[in-house]
Amino acid sequence: MNAFGKSQSLKRVEDQRFLTGHGQYVDDTPPEGALHAYFLRSPVAHAKLTALGLEDARQMPGVKLVAGAKEMLADGIDIDMPGGRVPNRDGSKGANSRRPVLVEDRMRFVGDPVAVVIAETLEQAKDAAEAIELDFDDLPVHMELAPGGEPLHEAAPDNMAFDWAQGDEEATDKALAASKHRVKLDIVDNRVMIVSMEPRGCWAEWGEGRIHLCFSGQGVWGQKDSLVRQMGLPAESIRVTHPDVGGGFGLKGQEFPEHLVVAWAAKHLDHPVRWMSDRGEGLQSDHGGRDLVSTAELGFDEDLKITAYKCENRSNMGAYNSGFGQFIQSALFAKVFPGTYDIQTAFLGSKGYYTNTAQMDAYRGAGRPEAIFVLERMMDEAARQLGVSPWELRRKNFIPGDKFPYKTVVGELYDVGDFHAVLADVEKAADLEGYKARKAESEANGKLRGYGLAYYIESILGDPTEGATVEFADDGFVDLMVGTQSNGQGHETVYAAFLEERSGIPVEKIRVIQGDSDRIATGGGTGGSRSVTNQTNATIAAVNVMVEAFAPFVAEELGVDEVEFEDGSFGAPGSNRRPTLIDAAEMAREKGREDLLRHEAKATLDGRSYPNGGHFCEVEVDPETGQVELKRYTVVDDFGNLVNPTLAEGQVHGGVAQGVGQILMENAVYDADGQLLTGSFMDYAMPRAMDLPFYGFAAHPVPSIQNPLGMKGCGEAGTVGAMAAVTNAVIDALWEKGVRNAQVPFTPQRVWALLKEAEGDAS
């Protein structure tokens, strides 16, 4: 057997079909003859719906159905979407804003779905949508992260979605007041689009009293539960599946209006219906990410040890709070709020506001990148203001190694860590001794050079319980059914190889089955860097159950009292027969022991693990154009024991690209009327290969004690560290020119303007 659990970099088995055009994504898989859905969306940010005339559209060629909220309600559909709420600091709950899947009486953002057209072709559906009579009365638009303005919801008359807090504000204020040094900063975390490679899409079909919804997502079970409630069907009458998924990043972990509408239309028409978002439609209607402003303050004593930390943020909820919106900048922000530092006194306050923009929700990290971005910006700013090295300031305040397990000021239990050792590896890889020469070379070429450091910590999230099922199929293959969902991370490779390592079943005989509520009763889905850690833990449990179930049967077949399972086969003293699990399954099938052909188990992690690490980057700025170029990028991560180093590094590469993209170019912009100004890739810049250098990547594993393999998760780590590292590097490059507290994104136009302002050029 391969020692897969011992850091073996195996090639991804799924890439063969992906790279040769044989992937089966949601738009590749609808039933033959499926009708096409097209959504009429609000053209304005805020308005009262006064008339919705559908009759002319219904007479258009090829049209099978035109419907709004009224038609769905008449069919007995519950059109409300689920949404989480957090507790306010006064003990009440955050606002309970309704979000119907189709507008009932008020349009609240540009792109809000108003009606659906189902036709034989997409072109016919689009043509018919133009025949819909849409009348409305404009309402004042609210775009500020502040109370006031025209209320979007009756439940929030001042447009405040929540007012959440954690920590002792009075004690924190007193500690700050008594500090020798205080550093305070306003920090903007700009709004970004999630733009997964594959846009959102779904299809549905009705037959034999059951609805089957297939959509591009990160887990099927939450959507199934919602359909039970919304459609009034028993759970056994609903099947939800995922095909191959081309990127999720939190976006596809949420439910969207189109899913229910398409499922209802398929049942209503008794005919399959398909829908696929185009890129412009997605930029308008997909959930956005980040979009908050934080005011943070650190206090230090005379030895530059942190005395207190206070952070208050104002975050954009968009028009609704379906999904995780309220949790991200409050409870999830708090998970790693104190970072890797030994901070005993802290306060975090968060206020969320409704605005006439698309819903805000989870995006690669959900609260943790936002928290680390603020704290690591503060650590660099403090180092500049206090005149000390950013490396030394972090070392002075790291949680000491002898304090683990360490309970943070917000109640998180960090199980293990060696931040000093990891940072030492970062410093060595950064080649600081050569930095002066590189900076001098840049200056000789008329460029500004700076470097940035960030030390992050992450926490895996989601359900700590996961299940796995191993089934010996009639065709000779072994199906491993999992409760997580690959979005491109390489799960098929990881899970199959891990099962081989634990069971001896050859990897070429293993099929990984995911995203099917009929075959997998429950699962936690993918998100929060939980997948491999949770799923391998469940697979260990399933293998143990399987071996325990087979052992007495195999012993009886071998004519011995008992057998032992070792190196992938059963054996007993005095017998030269060594049946494998596949052999045992064939024997069981021949004897009619169908009960031995399927084995399932659930396992629960002892606790969360906390990946962490250091990011170092160098940038070069052209003062004539404002162009920022990434010259060097180095990452040292503590992911615990790596199951597959190549896949882990790939996750870091992708995460860093997303962090770099946000800081240097990505920026979602609305005008004062709520119209999206960055509604295409002509206006919304995405990072390309030419924007990124070759990364340096190294691992410094400190195995977690919260799971059997000592793993820590890695899916979001690249983004969490990259945002602050790149920001700090750009500010370092601009600092000597007098630029102070610049805000992201550092587009050429913004950087050039910052330099001109620092020179005193008001133009």
Side-chain angles (χ1 to χ4, degrees), residues 276-530:
M276 193 71 201
S277 170
D278 62 34
R279 189 62 72 184
E281 184 178 22
L283 289 170
Q284 273 197 345
S285 62
D286 288 354
H287 295 174
R290 315 292 189 231
D291 205 350
L292 67 153
V293 179
S294 300
T295 298
E297 185 171 10
L298 280 171
F300 296 87
D301 65 16
E302 60 276 5
D303 296 321
L304 302 185
K305 298 293 291 291
I306 296 173
T307 57
Y309 178 37
K310 184 175 185 178
C311 178
E312 297 186 274
N313 70 54
R314 295 174 289 119
S315 58
N316 191 351
M317 289 295 96
Y320 303 98
N321 58 260
S322 57
F324 293 128
Q326 289 196 9
F327 290 93
I328 292 169
Q329 310 308 352
S330 54
L332 298 185
F333 192 106
K335 291 293 182 188
V336 294
F337 167 59
T340 53
Y341 306 109
D342 191 8
I343 300 174
Q344 299 300 317
T345 306
F347 175 79
L348 171 62
S350 181
K351 296 179 180 180
Y353 296 96
Y354 294 117
T355 68
N356 291 115
T357 64
Q359 162 79 34
M360 300 299 296
D361 220 314
Y363 170 53
R364 200 160 193 164
R368 285 99 76 218
E370 291 90 329
I372 294 300
F373 179 60
V374 172
L375 183 54
E376 288 301 296
R377 280 286 296 111
M378 287 297 297
M379 291 302 287
D380 245 45
E381 183 70 21
R384 295 183 206 286
Q385 293 193 24
L386 300 175
V388 297
S389 159
W391 304 82
E392 187 59 27
L393 189 61
R394 286 172 171 83
R395 289 190 180 100
K396 277 181 176 287
N397 289 284
F398 274 155
I399 299 165
D402 60 4
K403 282 196 173 184
F404 290 95
Y406 178 89
K407 192 169 186 178
T408 73
V409 69
V410 292
E412 290 292 302
L413 186 66
Y414 295 172
D415 57 337
V416 295
D418 194 347
F419 308 145
H420 286 277
V422 174
L423 188 64
D425 285 358
V426 177
E427 188 170 17
K428 182 178 179 181
D431 182 25
L432 288 183
E433 291 185 0
Y435 175 71
K436 287 185 178 179
R438 295 192 294 273
K439 184 175 177 66
E441 182 180 358
S442 295
E443 290 174 349
N445 293 323
K447 306 289 180 65
L448 307 174
R449 197 179 190 103
Y451 79 74
L453 172 67
Y455 201 101
Y456 78 92
I457 191 166
E458 237 258 86
S459 78
I460 65 169
L461 296 178
D463 192 340
T465 300
E466 194 51 84
T469 300
V470 179
E471 185 173 85
F472 294 86
D474 294 339
D475 58 5
F477 284 89
V478 178
D479 292 338
L480 172 61
M481 286 165 268
V482 300
T484 55
Q485 175 65 45
S486 178
N487 300 163
Q489 299 96 327
H491 289 178
E492 290 179 49
T493 300
V494 174
Y495 297 159
F498 186 77
L499 179 58
E500 179 189 46
E501 189 267 326
R502 289 282 164 163
S503 69
I505 299 170
V507 70
E508 62 272 13
K509 289 288 187 180
I510 298 170
R511 291 183 299 219
V512 175
I513 308 297
Q514 57 185 346
D516 188 335
S517 66
D518 272 9
R519 300 196 65 182
I520 309 155
T522 61
T526 287
S529 299
R530 71 177 298 273

Side-chain angles (χ1 to χ4, degrees), residues 171-220:
T172 303
D173 288 341
K174 286 182 178 178
L176 287 169
S179 299
K180 177 71 173 179
H181 308 282
R182 299 174 69 171
V183 177
K184 191 173 184 179
L185 199 62
D186 291 330
I187 299 170
V188 173
D189 194 342
N190 61 304
R191 183 178 183 128
V192 292
M193 306 294 197
I194 298 174
V195 288
S196 52
M197 184 176 292
E198 177 199 27
R200 294 188 297 112
C202 64
W203 55 263
E205 62 179 340
W206 172 262
E208 299 181 354
R210 301 187 80 213
I211 191 71
H212 175 197
L213 172 68
C214 176
F215 72 101
S216 181
Q218 294 176 226
V220 298

